[in-house]
Amino acid sequence: MATWIKAEVVENQHWTKDLFSLVLSAPVEPFKAGQFTKLGMEIDGKLIQRAYSFVNPPQSKYLEVYATRVADGIMSPRLHALEPGDSVMITQDPAGYFTLDEVPQGQHLWMFATGTAIGPYISLMEQGDLWSRFRKVILVHAVRFAADLTYQARINALQEQYPDQLVVQPFVSREPTAGALSGRVTHALEDGLLERVVGLPLTPEHSQVMLCGNPAMVKEVKTLLEGKGLSKNLRRKPGNVTTEHYW
């Protein structure tokens, strides 16, 4: 059984009409970058709960989660409306295995995300351990609109700090955007466009891949990577592809 404690809202940043980030203060147990927590609210006499990855690195003073308001959702509209000083329930203990210590050694770390699934990658990059493990880190973030490319200030700061290691390649599917590829990630993988633009190959000898986001994207990209010889990473049989379904 989860132990629930109270978290105080420090900030609620609205990136777009529906995308928002909650900054929270709560005495949770130590966590690893890439893990998640659960937020809970009592609604109509029931505890409604949803899982959210930590966006902040473990060394941060405050906790942060990144979410989407679903218009007809039960809980997300209420989270979206929270203001500083309000409270929400949070689980005291972290969970999940989408962490760097589950990823085998390699030369290049590819991190694929759709939408709000970029959250755990921000935590992983700001925690710092991956920079000593991988020669190149490639962040691929797929969204529908340019405004959905959030956390740019923190990503830019990381690029300035690690200019020779971090490669960022956004995809925007519904409008032309400078610096972004159009269309779907899967198409760019099938025809080799992503590898050509990034300038690095996806190979079992050099690549480790983390997939996080839309389950359809995770499944399709995993299948395409298997066609390139990359295998699913399992504890009993280490491979190249580590996955996390985001809902």
Side-chain angles (χ1 to χ4, degrees):
M1 293 290 291
T3 300
W4 292 90
I5 59 175
K6 186 173 76 171
E8 180 181 343
V9 177
V10 176
E11 181 184 358
N12 188 347
Q13 178 169 357
H14 290 189
W15 301 96
T16 67
K17 179 173 64 73
D18 294 315
L19 295 173
F20 65 101
S21 295
L22 285 174
V23 179
L24 307 168
S25 177
V28 300
E29 292 297 315
F31 68 92
K32 297 178 181 178
Q35 287 192 299
F36 65 87
T37 186
K38 290 184 179 180
L39 300 185
M41 285 183 157
E42 188 172 318
I43 301 173
D44 297 330
K46 296 181 180 179
L47 179 64
I48 306 300
Q49 54 185 285
R50 298 288 185 268
Y52 297 97
S53 292
F54 292 105
V55 178
N56 60 291
Q59 65 267 26
S60 292
K61 178 180 179 181
Y62 296 119
L63 310 174
E64 185 172 354
V65 299
Y66 184 27
T68 303
R69 176 179 62 174
V70 180
D72 58 352
I74 298 173
M75 185 170 161
S76 64
R78 289 172 169 83
L79 293 175
H80 184 267
L82 290 173
E83 298 181 352
D86 290 342
S87 63
V88 64
M89 300 304 293
I90 190 170
T91 50
Q92 190 169 34
D93 296 309
Y97 299 97
F98 196 65
T99 59
L100 201 60
D101 55 10
E102 298 289 333
V103 178
Q105 192 58 43
Q107 290 189 24
H108 307 148
L109 177 64
W110 295 73
M111 302 187 297
F112 288 81
T114 55
T116 57
I118 194 174
Y121 295 135
I122 301 292
S123 181
L124 282 161
M125 289 188 293
E126 291 184 341
Q127 180 189 38
D129 293 354
L130 80 175
W131 304 110
S132 61
R133 282 193 52 189
F134 297 94
R135 288 174 52 194
K136 294 286 187 179
V137 175
I138 305 96
L139 175 65
V140 179
H141 187 200
V143 299
R144 292 179 299 171
F145 300 101
D148 301 335
L149 292 172
T150 51
Y151 287 100
Q152 290 304 295
R154 285 162 71 171
I155 292 171
N156 291 340
L158 286 161
Q159 283 188 297
E160 290 180 8
Q161 190 173 359
Y162 305 100
D164 298 326
Q165 286 182 273
L166 179 58
V167 179
V168 179
Q169 184 55 63
F171 279 76
V172 179
S173 61
R174 297 194 180 181
E175 61 183 4
T177 302
L181 295 176
S182 59
R184 300 179 63 199
V185 172
T186 49
H187 294 160
L189 274 173
E190 283 179 309
D191 65 11
L193 175 63
L194 178 59
E195 291 165 89
R196 292 196 299 272
V197 170
V198 169
L200 295 168
L202 272 160
T203 65
E205 293 79 20
H206 300 112
S207 306
Q208 285 296 323
V209 180
M210 300 181 78
L211 303 177
C212 186
N214 183 315
M217 180 280 289
V218 171
K219 181 179 179 180
E220 290 176 30
V221 171
K222 178 175 168 289
T223 299
L224 288 169
L225 293 174
E226 288 172 346
K228 293 177 177 289
L230 285 78
S231 60
K232 184 175 182 179
N233 180 36
L234 302 170
R235 281 186 170 179
R236 66 179 182 275
K237 188 179 179 182
N240 308 94
V241 184
T242 304
T243 64
E244 176 91 306
H245 292 180
Y246 219 56
W247 57 77

